[in-house]
Amino acid sequence: MKAHALMTAGIALAVILVCFTMTAAGSMSDPIVVGDGPAVEVKGGMMTGGVIEQAGSTGINTPDTISPEGILNSEVIGGNCPTTMIAGRSYIATIKFLNTGDMTWTTATGIGIASYPAYGDASKFGWTRKAIQFSSGIAPGTYCTVSLPLTAPAAGSYQPAWCLYYIPDGRYFGQYAYTNIQVNPAATLNAAYTWSTLPMSMTTAQTRAGSITFRNTGTEGWPANGAVKLGGRADVLNFGATRIPLTTAVAPGASRTFSFNLKAPTTEGTYNLKYQMIKVGDRWFGKTHSHQITVTGGGGVKTALVESNILTYINAERAEHGGLPALTSDPVLGNIARVHSSQMATRKFFDHTNPFTGLGPVGRLGQAGYPYLMPAGTWRPENIGFASWSPTAPGAAAIAHTIVDAWMASTDGHREAILSANVNTFGTGAASSKTFSYVDNLGVTHSYVGRESWLATTMFVSK
């Protein structure tokens, strides 16, 4: 058996003279259509960039197949095939076969190309045998270039080989070409939720800024061409855009923060928003982040004023009692507090633990992924309070004063929380209701229907 080595740009091919026959014709898939090429001298040796370089004559091949029309023989004089592939993707390989027999190859002759069983990996690339349809006859001394459509199999190392065969009796003839192919796993799309600053409560028709961060945990990058976006589902449609594009590409392992505005609907209620990455026209991928926003009636401006005044009065109390340093207001912590106040107002309870979620203040901080340090000593993370007026409440400053004064007069830890030296950060959230009522721990119902009630939550942490 005589061997020759050839090289094309980016691929190593070896050709070996086949000296046996096969009696089973086998099955064929869709035919391959090829054209013809000019006559060339039979040569072995090296190929660079598709140009044949003389490296000495190989001589005349021993014929493999004698058909009723004459002698069939071939020599591989070149080829090209990707040496690296991605599982599941499609590729094209080409092989140049020189007609070294004494008969012209035509479609009627019955010439096909097959995977060579001694190197059985070729059949793993999508097919085993294909008939060749020639656009014109390939006379002895001329060559044809055959294009092979390949589909990469599962990840691994492969050594496929192909050769020509005579369709009427299935016998192989001439030389075959083989190469080494490394198939890598298909790139994956995946994402993980990292952090968000989405509001937890809003008033009807209010517009607020929000952001959400996802990290690329797959092996495929996210291009900035509109193919990959942040997508919203469930109640997101009620708050505005459901598709937010990337402004820059995101490589595997990198993160991207999407910033956008949300406009609350005009109907009060609790809304469930779901955010997930999407490959447009293909599929959703990665982890889904679920977020709940409570929408209450108007008064957004007054609510903000009540909150800011509560913060101001708490720092004033700290300065007045022992000259304690002012606490730093954190709007993210304020969001967590605000949703608790809104939940109390709309779901009618007054407690540090939400009876519908089972979460207390520490649980709510953990659910939101809020980073904080456990303060030294006795730590009270939260004050809640409410005040009610008939028929309507006074201005924002008076509402805030009433609530903070009640905390300072309390003997149940509220005053100690405000004057703690072990915290440095706080956040306040407020909500109003004209239908507020709740049932206390003794089962007694307290109703404030028809009155304007204000509920406030202030959270204290160390960062």
Side-chain angles (χ1 to χ4, degrees), residues 49-101:
V51 179
I52 301 175
E53 299 175 350
Q54 184 163 352
S57 174
T58 64
I60 303 300
N61 295 329
T62 302
D64 288 320
T65 299
I66 301 177
S67 72
E69 295 83 7
I71 297 174
L72 289 169
N73 205 355
S74 66
E75 183 172 333
V76 176
I77 61 172
N80 198 356
C81 180
T83 56
T84 302
M85 297 183 179
I86 301 296
R89 295 191 181 180
S90 298
Y91 300 87
I92 295 292
T94 60
I95 304 175
K96 285 184 179 181
F97 289 101
L98 177 69
N99 185 346
T100 57

Side-chain angles (χ1 to χ4, degrees), residues 217-237:
T217 57
T219 59
E220 182 175 337
W222 304 344
N225 60 3
V228 174
K229 297 181 178 181
L230 173 65
R233 292 187 286 174
D235 290 335
V236 172
L237 182 63

Side-chain angles (χ1 to χ4, degrees), residues 4-50:
H4 305 279
L6 299 100
M7 176 71 73
T8 65
I11 171 177
L13 283 171
V15 293
I16 301 177
L17 188 63
V18 181
C19 298
F20 66 88
T21 62
M22 181 174 179
T23 57
S27 60
M28 293 179 295
S29 54
D30 296 335
I32 294 175
V33 180
V34 301
D36 59 346
V40 296
E41 182 182 352
V42 180
K43 301 171 182 177
M46 306 297 294
M47 290 186 67
T48 302

